[in-house]
Amino acid sequence: MTIRRFSAAVFAATLLTPGLAACNSTGTGEAGASASPTVSGSAAPGASGAVNGDAKQALLNSTNEIRNGNFRFTMSGAGSSAEGQVHEPSQSAEMRVLIGDASSDLSMKLDLIHAKPDSWVKLELGGKSAGSIPGAQKLNLGKYQHLDQTRIKGNKALGFDFEKIDPAGSEVLTQGITEVRQTGQGTYAGTLDVSKAAEAGSVDQSVVTALGQQAKSVPFTAKLDPQGRLSEMVVQIPAAGQNAAQDIKVTYSDYGNAAAAQKPPAAQVVEAPQEFYNLFN
């Protein structure tokens, strides 16, 4: 697993136990289907042809609406996926995360709800190695675990920082763009310094280190909606070291139309046991 994140969410959960990371990081895999963008030569029909000037400014501006904290999002890559919504007006958020799949030795589903000042997580474990998780029988699987905020402070897997509400840190990513051009109406392609992705939390620092100098110029594509807001960004990480090539894809939608998260019914809530915190530390 190489996707991390969620200062505003939970891809850091991919690192929660060495066993889980090992079960889902084989060092093999396939690159995403999208091709590396062309950042030189003639632009596509209808494109402005702007390089690094107007095009980069358009992408920088495209993340402004994210700061308002009212949107839906998805993230995917390296065998993990997540979807959810952020609703800063009510100081709430929710997300669903899947790590691994039915073919994995160990898979994990998390259903997270944050309604400041509380957080709840429902955990499902799958795969033949699920029973080997320490304290698995005490994890109250199928129930929402109410979390002690003092015990998850600074924990990127379980906490939610309403000061850093973007699940992918796209504002930081766009600031790392090294070359870009418009390729069509609302579409862009170029390269970025992927070390910025580590700062944003979208890519694990070990991947950046393995890339070496390649990290300074990694291909990406982006799409903006008709209002000029970021709707999709795909960062195309090349293979390096033991890490297979992968596409990290983030999408945003329903700007201004997300809903407040609904707290889980009391009958479905238990206090998280010590074993639960151990799993994520």
Side-chain angles (χ1 to χ4, degrees), residues 62-105:
S62 74
T63 65
N64 291 342
E65 185 65 23
I66 295 173
R67 298 183 203 136
N68 290 329
N70 193 329
F71 56 85
R72 297 181 185 276
F73 69 90
T74 69
M75 295 180 70
S76 63
S80 298
S81 62
E83 62 177 0
Q85 62 182 17
V86 177
H87 192 254
E88 198 278 338
S90 64
Q91 294 281 277
S92 69
E94 58 183 326
M95 53 211 69
R96 292 155 299 283
V97 180
L98 175 62
I99 302 167
D101 54 32
S103 64
S104 304
D105 286 342

Side-chain angles (χ1 to χ4, degrees), residues 118-130:
D118 292 299
S119 298
W120 302 265
V121 181
K122 182 165 67 174
L123 170 67
E124 295 180 36
L125 297 175
K128 63 184 181 182
S129 299

Side-chain angles (χ1 to χ4, degrees), residues 22-279:
C23 287
N24 292 288
S25 280
T26 61
T28 61
E30 298 179 353
S34 54
S36 298
T38 300
V39 294
S40 60
S42 58
S48 69
V51 177
N52 282 334
D54 294 344
K56 182 170 183 178
Q57 191 59 51
L59 289 175
L60 290 171
N61 293 343
S62 74
T63 65
N64 291 342
E65 185 65 23
I66 295 173
R67 298 183 203 136
N68 290 329
N70 193 329
F71 56 85
R72 297 181 185 276
F73 69 90
T74 69
M75 295 180 70
S76 63
S80 298
S81 62
E83 62 177 0
Q85 62 182 17
V86 177
H87 192 254
E88 198 278 338
S90 64
Q91 294 281 277
S92 69
E94 58 183 326
M95 53 211 69
R96 292 155 299 283
V97 180
L98 175 62
I99 302 167
D101 54 32
S103 64
S104 304
D105 286 342
L106 182 61
S107 64
M108 176 179 292
K109 293 181 180 179
L110 300 103
D111 185 352
L112 299 104
I113 299 175
H114 303 281
K116 197 172 182 178
D118 292 299
S119 298
W120 302 265
V121 181
K122 182 165 67 174
L123 170 67
E124 295 180 36
L125 297 175
K128 63 184 181 182
S129 299
S132 65
I133 294 293
Q137 71 280 7
K138 297 182 180 180
L139 292 177
N140 292 307
L141 303 181
K143 292 278 191 178
Y144 280 95
Q145 317 281 321
H146 180 254
L147 303 176
D148 181 345
Q149 296 295 311
T150 64
R151 302 182 72 176
I152 64 170
K153 187 175 182 180
N155 187 315
K156 293 181 179 179
L158 299 176
F160 192 97
D161 185 351
F162 281 97
E163 298 299 318
K164 299 177 182 178
I165 56 176
D166 182 7
S170 292
E171 181 177 7
V172 176
L173 289 179
T174 56
Q175 290 170 353
I177 290 172
T178 54
E179 188 171 4
V180 63
R181 69 186 303 114
Q182 186 172 354
T183 57
Q185 185 64 42
T187 61
Y188 298 82
T191 58
L192 57 80
D193 181 350
V194 83
S195 65
K196 298 293 185 181
E199 294 175 24
S202 302
V203 180
D204 188 87
Q205 181 60 47
S206 65
V207 176
V208 177
T209 300
L211 287 171
Q213 283 300 115
Q214 290 185 87
K216 300 294 184 181
S217 186
V218 171
F220 80 94
T221 60
K223 297 179 181 178
L224 309 188
D225 69 12
Q227 288 73 44
R229 302 169 300 195
L230 185 64
S231 61
E232 177 185 292
M233 177 173 279
V234 180
V235 181
Q236 298 156 16
I237 306 293
Q242 297 299 309
N243 302 308
Q246 61 171 301
D247 281 2
I248 296 175
K249 181 178 180 180
V250 183
T251 71
Y252 299 91
S253 62
D254 290 339
Y255 285 105
N257 294 313
Q262 299 298 306
K263 298 179 181 180
Q268 296 181 25
V269 174
V270 296
E271 289 298 322
Q274 178 62 48
E275 289 78 7
F276 189 88
Y277 296 105
N278 291 347
L279 185 61

